[in-house]
Amino acid sequence: MKKIFIIFAFILFAMQGVLAQDNTAPILYSTQNILGREKTDKAQIKELFENLNKYSNEHNAEAIKAFYSKDYISYDGFNYDAFFASVDETFKSYPDISYKSKIKSINIIGNWASVELVDITTSEKQAATQAIINNQPVLNKEIKGVMESRCHYITYLRKLGNKWQIYSDNIITEETAIKYGKAAEIEMDISSPLIAKEGEEYCISLNIKNKPQGALMLASLSREEIKYPPSTPVDKFRKIPSDGTLERVVRANKKGANEYSMASVGITEISLNEEKTAINYEMSGIAFLMKRVNVYGERNAVDKKYLKEKFEKAESKAKEKAAEEKANRGKDL
């Protein structure tokens, strides 16, 4: 916030000099109108996001496009075309998807603005599942599922003429859970670091807090780069230990691309048939958990040689001072 106050203070100071030279300066540049304009812009931005949320809930991709610049590119590298291709696919895959968006702050500097938001997204789905009942495969079973996602991010806008448009966004945290059948009754979460350095290892941990009795639970843990089109993760499923915690160490990509840590969970119930002549197997629950990991690469903003020399000099002076103090204490004795 200090930078914003400094910028406005500088503008006001500069304008005083201009007004001193020209007594006929237009009223447009008065302090009151600058603050009034900021208020008007904030109202416009709030209205923009209200309409964006409205059209998102109506699944009106064409209306949503009006809020985005053709030069849009996200911090994940999604350009305008890739972003709206993913929007279309989301609306097709989740026909009842709904959005709730809350603005946490709006900052305006001239014709640019940053808006901090939190979005909560929900949807209901059905998934095909399999079973073996009385030694016969059953392939037409379906189980209901629920998708919940929470995203905390910053959106950057630019004003051209009288129109604000979205130019970019930077996601800070993002997590999604899709649970089908019995998985919806189980408390589970995935943990991984918020950030990771490219090429370095980090741990993904799946935690099941109320593991069901008499059920076989398998899970896979993986990481996938955030890109379009997305790739399908392929990994071996492992039995979840009795304490409900499964962990895996992975290595972040070396491209500096952001990625997701992911967990796929399957719940299979095993029982005897009524005649006790066959074992029935039924996949009664499926879950997919996903959490964002922001990956950062090597930066060249710091002169490492300069820092090394600076610290070496400081360390040398500290040693000289310590030796001098020790010598003085010897003289005192």
Side-chain angles (χ1 to χ4, degrees), residues 126-131 141-146 178-186 188 208 212 215-219 237 240 263-270 281-288:
Q126 287 189 332
T129 185
Q130 299 179 1
K141 290 180 69 67
E142 286 192 342
I143 49 178
K144 292 183 178 180
V146 177
I178 307 173
K179 296 180 178 180
Y180 297 93
K182 291 290 181 69
E185 303 170 8
I186 299 173
M188 61 178 79
I208 310 289
L216 176 65
M217 292 191 71
L218 302 175
F237 276 76
I240 297 175
S264 302
V265 182
I267 304 168
T268 301
E269 292 187 330
I270 305 169
Y281 299 89
E282 182 176 1
M283 182 171 281
S284 58
I286 309 167
F288 302 97

Side-chain angles (χ1 to χ4, degrees), residues 259-323:
E259 55 190 43
Y260 289 122
S261 57
M262 306 175 71
S264 302
V265 182
I267 304 168
T268 301
E269 292 187 330
I270 305 169
S271 61
L272 286 172
N273 63 0
E274 292 182 1
E275 296 79 17
K276 297 184 179 180
T277 58
I279 299 176
N280 296 333
Y281 299 89
E282 182 176 1
M283 182 171 281
S284 58
I286 309 167
F288 302 97
L289 307 177
M290 187 169 65
K291 187 166 283 189
R292 166 179 286 261
V293 178
N294 289 314
V295 179
Y296 64 94
E298 187 70 31
R299 300 290 187 263
N300 297 317
V302 177
D303 188 332
K304 294 180 180 178
K305 182 180 177 182
Y306 167 79
L307 277 183
K308 184 180 178 183
E309 291 175 351
K310 182 176 181 180
F311 285 125
E312 283 177 349
K313 287 178 181 177
E315 188 177 0
S316 177
K317 286 182 179 179
K319 286 181 179 179
E320 289 176 3
K321 185 177 179 181

